[in-house]
Amino acid sequence: MNAKQLYMETFGCQMNVNDSERIVTMLADLGYRATSQASNADMILLNTCSVRGGAEEKVYKRLANLRPLKKAKPALIMGVGGCVAQQEGNELLQKFPWLDLVFGTHNLHLLVDMVRDAENGERRCETAFIDNEQRLDLFPPAKGNSRVSSFVTVMQGCDNFCSYCIVPYVRGREISRRSAEIIAEVRQLADSGVQEVVLLGQNVNSYGLKTEGEPNFARLIRMVAEIEGILRIRFTTSHPKDMSDELIACFGDVAKLCGQIHLPVQSGSDSVLALMNRGYTRASYLDRIRALKAVRPGIAITADIIVGFPGEGEEDFEQTLSLVEDVRYSDLFIFAYSPRPGTRAADLVEELGREQKVQRLERLLELQKRITREISESLLGTCQPVLVEGEGKHHGQVSGRLESGRIVNFPGDPGLIGSLVEVRIVKAYQNSLLGGKYYDLTAEGAEEKPESFAVVQVPCFKRGNPLEDQT
Ligand code: 5AD
Ligand code: SF4
């Protein structure tokens, strides 16, 4: 019998990417094989994002656009999962009569059963949140983002209820994964040759705080750092209010922890931060930044910023511009405010139109572009440690990342993949760097490094935010 074809499309953040991979594995048991072509699929699933209105609109457009396929092949099963499914539930089945199944963010374990029902013509919607005991057993397994680097989920959900944010409503309450399970997973990854782990969660800083007997996040990092074979540790995303001294201290003395942090600020104005329910002030955020820079000079800091939040006047926006100048982020993710149904901010009156929001977005973008370019140019001629992750953009090149997460392509043999090398930076592009000569730190006799390869620490770059969708 020919395998049935499953076409899966994923929107949004790394959580969804993880879930989609799990779905593909689960449905393989029912005889479905992943295909990259919607046109000849037997089942089409959209795993969706609703963090901003634009992301949600995209899903509806896609659904409309896929309708002819269902008309041409009535046996085709069509489903929607993820955050839009969680938010809209049964409404989706009503609005889109060609849809067969809708599954929420806590309902992946029901999917096999739902697909069986759909094969028998039954339309189902499952969006109930499940209890914590069951959730603890359903954490997604690690997912490689390259041969040498892997995401490891350490917590899910969020209890912060920032007034603009839909995440707590569609992803549910915060839950920390068992540390024993995390450590066992990282050990297994190390055994299989993975050298870098990225600890993942909506708010990793509050890991373990609500679970008796579990370490806090700083302690968890130290436990992961003890695992042999792991050379680099990163984490995302952090909340400034939970950025403890203990966690900041890790950047000072855990050598494996990369000098890079994504610390979303959202706004530089105290009154906007209060309206956003962020739980910190401009001064306390800047205090955390100072502390980070003190223990790890050159640390690369990135952030998310929302422009045009209700009540953001010109002066408030200027406060954001000046904060960005102060911090000197290596990169920024900037979003125009988009009201989300059911959130507290959705009741606030919006004074700015789309055009004004876009204008502020562009002003901020311009400023950040200059800072990014300046930092980028300061790297030219220096030698930087790079973990080689794969083949490069062009033939004869390999590609890796600086500690900051910035991508470097340089001439080298694929045999270097998995090595830690020092590369001289010869050219800076908008989104990547070009390297020249390199020195393999993992090769035999590498201790006798020539002096010309001394590493110079300079502020550095982005990795990108796996929790983010750029819509
Ligand atoms: N409008 C605009 N941006 C938002 N974000 C979250 N909710 C909204 C919204 N309603 C942004 C925040 C957050 C990132 C993941 O998405 O900056 O940090
Ligand atoms: Fe939670 Fe982040 Fe959303 Fe705030 S912005 S509610 S911390 S997911």
Side-chain angles (χ1 to χ4, degrees), residues 42-63:
D42 300 287
M43 175 156 55
I44 296 178
L45 296 180
L46 306 183
N47 197 4
T48 63
C49 169
S50 65
V51 76
R52 280 171 294 279
E56 191 181 333
E57 279 307 313
K58 235 197 260 180
V59 173
Y60 300 143
K61 277 202 190 118
R62 189 68 179 126
L63 272 173

Side-chain angles (χ1 to χ4, degrees), residues 51-52 164 266 304 306 335-338 340 468:
V51 76
R52 280 171 294 279
Y164 52 82
Q266 313 297 1
D304 297 341
I306 297 176
F335 309 102
Y337 171 67
S338 156
R340 304 312 295 132
E468 196 36 74

Side-chain angles (χ1 to χ4, degrees), residues 431-468:
N431 295 314
S432 67
L433 299 166
L434 180 68
K437 284 205 171 116
Y438 66 86
Y439 189 78
D440 190 351
L441 294 169
T442 29
E444 249 176 72
E447 309 77 60
E448 290 156 37
K449 183 171 69 164
E451 245 174 52
S452 62
F453 269 94
V455 173
V456 183
Q457 277 295 346
V458 285
C460 19
F461 277 92
K462 79 167 177 186
R463 155 175 211 94
N465 177 359
L467 293 180
E468 196 36 74

Side-chain angles (χ1 to χ4, degrees), residues 106 129 132 135 155-161 166-176 210:
H106 286 200
F129 279 163
N132 278 355
R135 278 178 87 193
M155 53 89 63
Q156 285 186 324
C158 183
D159 289 349
N160 286 321
F161 291 93
I166 204 162
V167 167
Y169 303 95
V170 291
R171 286 270 159 193
R173 293 296 74 73
E174 192 177 295
I175 185 169
S176 294
K210 291 171 186 159

Side-chain angles (χ1 to χ4, degrees), residues 25 88 93 97 102 115 124 159 228 241 249 252 334 350 364 375 381 383 418 449 470:
T25 313
E88 298 295 311
L93 287 185
V102 173
V115 168
R124 261 175 84 179
D159 289 349
E228 214 176 304
K241 78 173 168 48
I334 310 165
E350 283 205 78
L364 196 49
I375 297 176
C383 290
K449 183 171 69 164
Q470 295 289 305

